[in-house]
Amino acid sequence: MMLLPCPWCGPRNATEFRYVGEAGPRPDPASATPEEWRRFLYVHANPCGPVRETWYHRAGCRRYLAVERDTATNEVRSAVDSATGVAR
């Protein structure tokens, strides 16, 4: 079982969350080409090791979290509010 430390609700089972994806900048809708959208939506690095991801707490506070996690060990290093970058 993997626990994610929600800044508002405390440690919770990962089944309460939905994985959104790798954290990164979204292309500008007004100027992005179809190729840029394709890369943003479908092409992911999927590295083995430390990554920054976005998760949504669907069964709790319904907020988005920025999670730093090691994909090799599932060790969660930090979880903060994805909008502000602040841990509560």
Side-chain angles (χ1 to χ4, degrees), residues 31-77:
S31 63
T33 66
E35 177 61 23
E36 289 173 319
W37 278 114
R38 186 190 71 76
R39 278 196 315 263
F40 174 73
L41 294 172
Y42 303 113
V43 179
H44 305 286
N46 197 22
C48 182
V51 295
R52 188 164 170 90
E53 306 168 321
T54 303
W55 290 72
Y56 175 67
H57 196 178
R58 64 182 177 174
C61 60
R62 298 184 182 206
R63 295 186 186 207
Y64 287 90
L65 314 173
V67 176
E68 289 184 19
R69 179 176 71 93
D70 188 316
T71 58
T73 63
N74 276 336
E75 174 192 359
V76 177
R77 297 180 176 168

